[in-house]
Amino acid sequence: MNISKENLHKLKSLHNGRVTKIVETVAELCRPEKISVITDSENDAQYVRRRALEVMEETPLRTPGHTVHFDGYYDQGRDKENTRVLIPKGEKLCGHIKTMDRDEGLEEIGNLLEGIMEGKEMFVRFFCLGPKNSKFTMYAFQITDSAYVAHSEDILYRRGYEAFKELRDKNNFFYFIHSAGELEKCVSKNIDKRRVYIDLEKERVFAINTQYAGNSVGLKKLALRLAISRADKEKWLCEHMFISGVHNNGRITYFTGAFPSACGKTSTAMLPGNTIVGDDIAYLRPGEDGNAYAVNIEKGIFGIIENLSHSSDPLIYEALTSPKEVIFSNILVANDTPYWSGMGKEFPKMGKNFAGDWKEGMAGPDGKPVPLAHKNARYTVSLHELKNVDKNLDNPNGVKVDGFIYGGRDSDASVPVFQSFSWHHGVFIGSCLESETTSATIGAEGQRKHNPMANLDFLVIPLGTYIQNHIAFGEALDRPPIIFATNYFLKENGKFLNGIMDKLVWLQWMERRTHNDLGVIETPIGYIPLYEDLKTLFTKYLKQEYAKADYEKQFTIRTHKLLEKFQRVEESYKGEEVPEYFADHLRSQRDRLLAAQKKYGKENISPFEFASS
Ligand code: SPV
Ligand code: MN
């Protein structure tokens, strides 16, 4: 193994034979020129930042602490096609999960890894997922030949070298082996050999020939998959959820929210006046007091930057335009300044972006027009750098969760906000979540996709088992979180029916509902707000008049469109083994919608009609 005395000492000081063995095996196979073991020291962190600049995976920008990283033209999102769960021969998961024979997958990966790090430096870096010294804590380490990946992880996760020392010879950790592969102009060249293979048996993931963080940063979506498997065995929940504290006159109520990519998840978690615990992934466990508790496994944000402006997201915008450690990815750089679409500034006509040297109106290698920044361009920043970080981010007990939010993207059916009838009904709503596709994954945009709990991309257990685990989780609690659903994307004649900040009102309404402070109107889909309550909240939080006519449009129950939605969902579940209760809910949901059509003699029913009946 090509390792200096000093680095070997750092590795051996962990007194963990399994870690040493893994590093040795990977080094022998990948043959890096150099191995750097990164401890929790500021010196080592600084070293990684410097290396990212030296090898030009990152370039400094004008504002101190800011850098930019580019992923290749064809490496701008999660690769769903080549992400596979390795399973033993003859085993099956479910129709929604891409799998591969484990032996074949490991053989292929072994061949691809052979000599892949020649001439490169291999970083070995240790982390804790979740707060330290907590029942939630999970240990994980990353091997990567990308200084950008190792740097991103330092912003996004809690350093864990010292924590690993305490593990001694225990081997209950996740690990991730990443190589960007051969580079051309600093980006992964062999995209046709991009692979993300998940090995549940050894709780490890291989990611090769890619740099995009959703594929390469092991602790993020790769660890999510391993943790879903753990959670299944240990009876807790691992969710694609933000965690946010909603503040109401000194009272803080915590919500977690699952939204498919680009459905407003980060901006919901970051609303002015509230505090953020996390924006992407939550571990949830039952507390001894009969409530659900959650932690953020991360301590930073890897967020979408498109349409992020001073008016839409004032807190993040301010954080991204002042000196601090930030990595921008796949934005436009001109004059050492970052630009992105929808930032509310005038744009230069040329610069550097994910296509290389960029000029307005140019076509990319695939002949398509190249926008100034990629739609999935992102920023990476530590939560501790934000003014609105919640004081419980690192609380080892987590935060008590009073509400779950499922947020879809639905232009023609679902109302902006409603409350489910019960935990069971809420789980049903989560399992019917749909979104119109966006740019965070590679493939077509604008199609409607069923995405149960916004977690479908990451499931490594059968969908039916996953849903059943939710049911059981809530049943075991004395006070399960109240489940709500939101939809910020309702349109009429092509125009959004809601303002971008209306979600602030929906959150405040949900906050009051978890404390039973406000009444509701019962409709076939669940409980919706009363006009007067929303009017008061619009005045208080947005200083806006809220017109009765707007409320009526937004909260009309569009029975026909909703029935279509449930039809699509049913199709999507065909062939899946789903718990019995799912079919029961589907049936009663339909019956309620059909009964309302009959009673009111129409398809679109005003909330005022339900209110007066
Ligand atoms: C998402 O797409 O849900 C993200 C970004 O949070 S990624 O890291 O690509 O998963
Ligand atoms: Mn996500």
Side-chain angles (χ1 to χ4, degrees):
M1 183 162 64
N2 215 348
I3 190 165
S4 69
K5 248 187 167 165
E6 188 198 344
N7 279 291
L8 188 63
H9 177 71
K10 286 180 186 173
L11 194 58
K12 296 273 175 172
S13 303
L14 294 173
H15 300 287
N16 192 311
R18 184 163 175 242
V19 172
T20 308
K21 184 95 199 96
I22 291 166
V23 174
E24 274 170 4
T25 309
V26 174
E28 260 160 46
L29 190 60
C30 301
R31 299 194 291 272
E33 190 176 283
K34 185 178 174 192
I35 299 172
S36 296
V37 177
I38 308 300
T39 69
D40 297 347
S41 76
E42 206 31 54
N43 243 357
D44 281 11
Q46 199 51 44
Y47 172 75
V48 173
R49 287 182 205 122
R50 200 180 76 225
R51 291 298 295 147
L53 296 175
E54 281 170 359
V55 300
M56 287 169 35
E57 274 192 281
E58 291 175 39
T59 315
L61 295 170
R62 182 178 296 261
T63 307
H66 291 194
T67 60
V68 58
H69 161 82
F70 291 109
D71 300 302
Y73 190 80
Y74 296 108
D75 195 21
Q76 295 287 321
R78 277 187 274 114
D79 182 352
K80 290 215 230 181
E81 191 47 41
N82 291 302
T83 299
R84 305 269 165 166
V85 185
L86 303 180
I87 52 169
K89 246 187 206 48
E91 232 175 67
K92 259 184 81 183
L93 279 180
C94 82
H96 289 278
I97 305 173
K98 287 211 156 55
T99 57
M100 183 173 188
D101 177 87
R102 184 169 182 269
D103 295 335
E104 279 171 31
L106 290 178
E107 191 184 332
E108 186 191 354
I109 285 292
N111 291 335
L112 287 171
L113 283 175
E114 176 88 46
I116 202 167
M117 294 185 189
E118 272 173 11
K120 291 209 217 168
E121 179 169 358
M122 177 173 118
F123 300 89
V124 186
R125 198 157 198 179
F126 301 86
F127 299 95
C128 286
L129 292 163
K132 292 181 189 171
N133 303 316
S134 142
K135 65 177 177 189
F136 292 94
T137 318
M138 209 77 95
Y139 301 85
F141 82 97
Q142 174 85 55
I143 296 176
T144 177
D145 61 9
S146 164
Y148 157 71
V149 168
H151 178 200
S152 298
E153 288 180 332
D154 192 43
I155 300 177
L156 293 170
Y157 304 96
R158 297 160 176 101
R159 292 179 191 165
Y161 176 81
E162 293 302 323
F164 257 78
K165 275 187 184 165
E166 279 147 39
L167 270 185
R168 290 283 155 172
D169 250 334
K170 280 201 223 114
N171 65 10
N172 61 335
F173 50 78
F174 300 157
Y175 68 100
F176 306 97
I177 297 164
H178 167 251
S179 172
E182 200 180 326
L183 301 178
E184 190 172 66
K185 293 190 183 155
C186 301
V187 301
S188 295
K189 184 180 164 197
N190 300 320
I191 292 298
D192 57 321
K193 298 198 183 70
R194 180 171 51 201
R195 300 287 181 269
V196 179
Y197 285 178
I198 300 145
D199 182 15
L200 299 178
E201 194 179 308
K202 294 221 165 138
E203 297 194 305
R204 63 181 170 175
V205 183
F206 302 89
I208 298 175
N209 293 315
T210 176
Q211 287 162 305
Y212 173 68
N215 301 320
S216 62
V217 167
L219 286 276
K220 199 169 189 56
K221 292 308 196 311
L222 313 188
L224 170 59
R225 292 166 171 112
L226 298 179
I228 287 175
S229 170
R230 271 274 190 114
D232 173 50
K233 290 183 191 128
E234 297 173 2
K235 304 297 163 221
W236 45 278
L237 296 181
C238 175
E239 296 305 300
H240 190 203
M241 279 178 151
F242 72 72
I243 310 171
S244 183
V246 179
H247 292 232
N248 169 15
N249 286 328
R251 179 168 78 186
I252 308 178
T253 307
Y254 290 96
F255 285 82
T256 58
F259 292 55
S261 303
C263 286
K265 186 165 161 218
T266 303
S267 44
T268 305
M270 291 279 275
L271 282 168
N274 297 336
T275 45
I276 180 167
V277 181
D279 89 315
D280 201 28
I281 302 165
Y283 290 172
L284 292 123
R285 286 180 183 265
E288 277 163 21
D289 61 358
N291 290 295
Y293 282 79
V295 297
N296 179 10
I297 62 135
E298 307 184 285
K299 67 152 185 80
I301 302 184
F302 175 61
I304 292 190
I305 205 161
E306 189 175 65
N307 291 331
L308 199 157
S309 67
H310 186 64
S311 56
S312 70
D313 299 87
L315 293 162
I316 323 179
Y317 190 84
E318 199 207 310
L320 297 185
T321 46
S322 51
K324 62 176 58 67
E325 190 177 15
V326 182
I327 309 174
F328 293 87
S329 54
N330 307 317
I331 42 100
L332 176 75
V333 181
N335 222 347
D336 297 334
T337 307
Y339 295 90
W340 58 90
S341 323
M343 75 189 295
K345 255 201 201 173
E346 264 204 45
F347 304 116
K349 303 242 179 292
M350 56 199 297
K352 190 170 180 330
N353 76 1
F354 69 103
D357 290 325
W358 176 81
K359 247 196 187 149
E360 196 176 48
M362 76 176 258
D366 52 359
K368 290 191 183 148
V370 181
L372 79 127
H374 194 275
K375 280 183 85 57
N376 197 28
R378 289 181 179 254
Y379 59 90
T380 304
V381 69
S382 165
L383 280 161
H384 290 288
E385 296 280 11
L386 304 180
K387 283 194 188 127
N388 57 331
V389 62
D390 191 273
K391 59 179 190 297
N392 284 313
L393 169 59
D394 293 314
N395 187 335
N397 300 320
V399 295
K400 174 162 89 70
V401 181
D402 283 328
F404 273 16
I405 306 170
Y406 290 116
R409 180 182 272 265
D410 179 357
S411 49
D412 61 17
S414 306
V415 297
V417 65
F418 70 94
Q419 180 187 328
S420 62
F421 294 122
S422 63
W423 173 259
H424 286 72
H425 179 233
V427 173
F428 167 74
I429 287 165
S431 48
C432 293
L433 196 59
E434 273 191 324
S435 128
E436 287 158 36
T437 49
T438 63
S439 56
T441 56
I442 293 162
E445 277 185 52
Q447 292 167 5
R448 241 174 248 249
K449 284 257 165 78
H450 175 216
N451 191 349
M453 281 77 174
N455 219 355
L456 187 64
D457 286 359
F458 313 108
L459 288 193
V460 293
I461 57 173
L463 185 50
T465 312
Y466 174 70
I467 292 173
Q468 185 53 45
N469 290 348
H470 274 72
I471 294 294
F473 183 81
E475 279 179 348
L477 296 170
D478 296 332
R479 280 169 301 281
I482 294 181
I483 300 181
F484 299 90
T486 59
N487 172 30
Y488 305 151
F489 303 94
L490 195 59
K491 283 185 179 172
E492 194 183 61
N493 303 325
K495 278 178 74 182
F496 287 113
L497 282 179
N498 286 102
I500 207 152
M501 294 310 275
D502 291 1
K503 45 175 121 42
L504 223 152
V505 168
W506 313 148
L507 268 257
Q508 289 294 338
W509 179 78
M510 291 185 262
E511 194 275 343
R512 283 154 180 80
R513 283 298 305 158
T514 61
H515 298 277
N516 229 340
D517 294 347
L518 297 175
V520 288
I521 301 171
E522 186 173 334
T523 76
I525 53 161
Y527 301 121
I528 63 168
L530 292 157
Y531 168 66
E532 287 70 24
D533 292 335
L534 291 184
K535 186 175 157 62
T536 310
L537 294 172
F538 267 88
T539 309
K540 179 165 168 142
Y541 291 95
L542 297 175
K543 315 265 171 299
Q544 266 177 32
E545 265 301 310
Y546 184 53
K548 235 180 190 166
D550 286 340
Y551 167 79
E552 187 162 29
K553 263 190 212 164
Q554 292 162 10
F555 288 91
T556 283
I557 303 299
R558 294 162 175 84
T559 56
H560 179 68
K561 288 284 172 198
L562 287 164
L563 285 164
E564 276 180 11
K565 173 191 153 106
F566 290 112
Q567 184 63 34
R568 283 194 301 272
V569 171
E570 187 176 26
E571 290 294 321
S572 176
Y573 274 106
K574 277 221 168 96
E576 291 296 339
E577 273 180 45
V578 276
E580 184 90 349
Y581 103 99
F582 182 84
D584 293 346
H585 273 277
L586 192 61
R587 200 174 316 109
S588 49
Q589 181 65 79
R590 273 206 182 107
D591 288 349
R592 284 194 302 271
L593 287 164
L594 291 169
Q597 277 185 350
K598 210 162 156 203
K599 176 170 174 191
Y600 296 100
K602 55 181 134 179
E603 285 178 352
N604 294 338
I605 306 161
S606 156
F608 294 115
E609 299 202 49
F610 290 110
S612 59
S613 66

